[in-house]
Amino acid sequence: MSALQPVRGTQDLLPEEQRRHRAVSETARLIAERYGYHEVATPIFEFTEVFARPIGETTDIVSKEMYTFTDRGGDEVTLRPEYTAGIVRAIISNGLTQSLPLKFFASGPMFRYERPQKGRYRQFHQIDVELIGIGDPQGDVEVIALGADILDALGVLKRTELELNTLGDTASRHAYREALVAYYSVHRHALSEDSLRRLDRNPLRILDSKDEGDKRVNANAPSFAQYLTPEAQGYFDAVRAGLDDLGIAHRVAPRLVRGLDYYCHTAFEFVTTDLGAQGTVLGGGRYDGLMALMGGPDTPGIGWAAGIERLAMLIDAPPGPPRPIAVIPIGDAAQTAALKLARELRRAGFGVDLGYSGNVGRRMRRANKVNARAAVLLGDDELARNAATVRDLDTGTQSEVPLAELAARLAPFR
Ligand code: ATP
Ligand code: MG
């Protein structure tokens, strides 16, 4: 059994690490609720078609990263690689397109078959927000501001930069696509095999490539700005002006494209240089075509997702739980009384550590090991008087306290 290891790219979150993850997701949920984004949970696996078409056959996610299998009933299912498609599916399945706009927050595990490295895992976790039914630049500004406020509440905003781009409207993307195909066709010989395949089907995705050769070709690729329609340019200007009004600093990154096919208009990422190669902590964009693509009514949407592991690495260690009270029976007769007292104190809201065996010396060592704030010592004599001895473990002072007054006496140690 000693040889059993976790699956490559998965991790155990032991208490200290789990506390970091919790701090990220709870802080995010709190801030999201202030913005009116309510938490939802969708299934961790869906029919494969929920992800395959919306995310796009030419994307890394669908072409090589999904955990897809046939279940025992013969259904093709996939462990979710991202939130948006599942949430949009849930909106359609539950008939919620009648109640727009919808503002949702979610957090939980994601699965992608990637090459594991620092900040990149096969099971990882995301926080996610989606604003569905608003096709106005104010919506873009709101979700970006929400992201900035969450990063700020986590104390990491100062360590990130906001990069912003527009993918324009359909007409802009069509014109740009042609320009890209013309450019890449000339540089065909320098492109990776993956990118050659994307050239016909989704040339925009080549801009997103991590291949070094592709990156060199991308350095001189035409930029989107020249191909934007006046409407798309106006939309982008309005988003930028809204961010300026809120004092949210940003930089236009002309080659920023999202990895997924259904994005249009605003694309954005909060990036940091503090995490090495995996520098994107939060990324998102507008996906006005997605709902219709998935069989729902034509409905605009925008959202983002952030990697909890990457954020957890950036935050200061969150405080642990409050120091417990150690309840220590002295002698056999006090055992039952200690069990009862521990339960009473717990029900009164105290964290209580109760060692299971050993003499007083051993139990005191345990109290120190769990960093108890105070010890309640229960001896036969004290019990006969309906009392216990309370010892302040920081100062060493102690006094006898009637059991009825114990909770009040311990209150300062909570
Ligand atoms: P990358 O370019 O790093 O692969 P991506 O474009 O695939 O990112 P998204 O699909 O936009 O990422 O996911 C949003 C966020 O989720 C990322 O910015 C990142 O913080 C996090 N993330 C994505 N994939 C992983 C992973 N395999 N392990 C850990 N975090 C991840
Ligand atoms: Mg990726």
Side-chain angles (χ1 to χ4, degrees):
M1 288 306 266
S2 63
L4 278 185
Q5 294 294 319
V7 173
R8 188 165 137 81
T10 68
Q11 325 183 69
D12 301 308
L13 299 174
L14 299 180
E16 207 174 302
E17 196 54 32
Q18 176 66 2
R19 208 170 285 136
R20 285 177 176 269
H21 277 234
R22 268 289 174 136
V24 172
S25 58
E26 307 248 293
T27 303
R29 181 163 49 82
L30 193 79
I31 310 285
E33 279 172 351
R34 287 188 198 157
Y35 275 75
Y37 288 67
H38 298 292
E39 184 169 24
V40 294
T42 59
I44 285 176
F45 63 100
E46 300 264 4
F47 290 122
T48 298
E49 66 195 25
V50 169
F51 302 116
R53 212 156 68 89
I55 295 176
E57 305 287 347
T58 56
T59 57
D60 285 351
I61 293 183
V62 176
S63 64
K64 51 190 182 202
E65 294 175 0
M66 292 206 307
Y67 278 90
T68 297
F69 59 99
T70 310
D71 74 8
R72 287 163 194 274
D75 284 325
E76 271 268 308
V77 295
T78 293
L79 304 185
R80 65 184 181 199
E82 59 117 42
Y83 260 122
T84 310
I87 289 179
V88 170
R89 195 275 308 139
I91 289 171
I92 298 171
S93 313
N94 290 282
L96 298 180
T97 50
Q98 305 299 315
S99 349
L100 303 175
L102 294 165
K103 300 178 167 197
F104 287 148
F105 168 81
S107 85
M110 298 291 152
F111 305 86
R112 297 183 192 177
Y113 192 82
E114 303 208 58
R115 196 168 67 75
Q117 50 200 294
K118 185 183 169 214
R120 189 176 295 283
Y121 311 96
R122 290 181 176 175
Q123 175 174 339
F124 62 103
H125 299 77
Q126 284 185 339
I127 50 174
D128 179 277
V129 310
E130 310 290 349
L131 170 60
I132 314 266
I134 301 291
D136 186 281
Q138 277 185 28
D140 306 48
V141 173
E142 178 179 275
V143 298
I144 294 173
L146 170 52
D149 283 355
I150 289 171
L151 296 179
D152 198 28
L154 291 169
V156 307
L157 184 64
K158 306 176 293 298
R159 298 169 73 178
T160 68
E161 276 191 65
L162 170 58
E163 298 188 342
L164 194 71
N165 194 19
T166 176
L167 307 179
D169 47 19
T170 313
S172 316
R173 263 197 318 287
H174 191 78
Y176 185 45
R177 188 194 155 100
E178 292 199 338
L180 279 182
V181 172
Y183 173 78
Y184 286 130
S185 298
V186 175
H187 297 88
R188 198 174 261 282
H189 56 278
L191 289 178
S192 69
E193 248 173 67
D194 276 348
S195 287
L196 277 177
R197 242 180 299 117
R198 294 177 186 131
L199 185 50
D200 301 322
R201 298 169 66 185
N202 188 4
L204 237 73
R205 283 294 327 284
I206 301 177
L207 290 169
D208 196 26
S209 171
K210 294 183 178 74
D211 177 88
E212 289 305 322
D214 291 345
K215 281 186 185 168
R216 278 193 292 277
V217 177
N218 282 335
N220 296 312
S223 86
F224 215 143
Q226 306 148 253
Y227 300 91
L228 286 180
T229 61
E231 294 76 24
Q233 183 66 55
Y235 195 100
F236 192 44
D237 292 343
V239 173
R240 297 194 60 197
L243 293 174
D244 287 340
D245 289 342
L246 296 181
I248 298 176
H250 59 276
R251 183 156 48 85
V252 176
R255 289 185 217 301
L256 172 70
V257 293
R258 303 295 308 140
L260 312 180
D261 278 352
Y262 45 74
Y263 284 103
C264 61
H265 289 297
T266 318
F268 56 93
E269 286 185 350
F270 284 87
V271 296
T272 177
T273 51
D274 296 351
L275 287 177
Q278 267 53 254
T280 305
V281 292
L282 183 156
R286 178 163 282 286
Y287 49 81
D288 292 349
L290 178 61
M291 181 83 78
L293 178 81
M294 294 184 71
D298 203 1
T299 308
I302 180 165
W304 56 252
I308 294 182
E309 280 77 4
R310 295 184 194 178
L311 289 170
M313 282 191 270
L314 290 173
I315 62 173
D316 291 338
R323 295 167 65 188
I325 307 291
V327 171
I328 299 180
I330 304 168
D332 288 344
Q335 297 283 348
T336 308
L339 267 176
K340 284 187 183 162
L341 179 65
R343 181 154 187 247
E344 268 166 38
L345 289 174
R346 285 167 178 154
R347 289 164 74 107
F350 293 93
V352 175
D353 186 81
L354 182 62
Y356 295 103
S357 61
N359 58 24
V360 180
R362 184 165 164 192
R363 288 177 191 259
M364 285 306 292
R365 281 197 294 280
R366 172 160 173 90
N368 285 327
K369 193 174 157 213
V370 300
N371 195 25
R373 178 63 185 85
V376 177
L377 296 141
L378 286 175
D380 294 346
D381 296 350
E382 283 114 322
L383 276 178
R385 291 193 294 274
N386 255 330
T389 297
V390 173
R391 185 183 298 175
D392 182 326
L393 293 176
D394 284 355
T395 64
T397 55
Q398 64 177 49
S399 57
E400 192 172 300
V401 178
L403 288 181
E405 290 166 30
L406 204 51
R409 172 73 175 74
L410 290 172
F413 298 141
R414 201 197 293 257

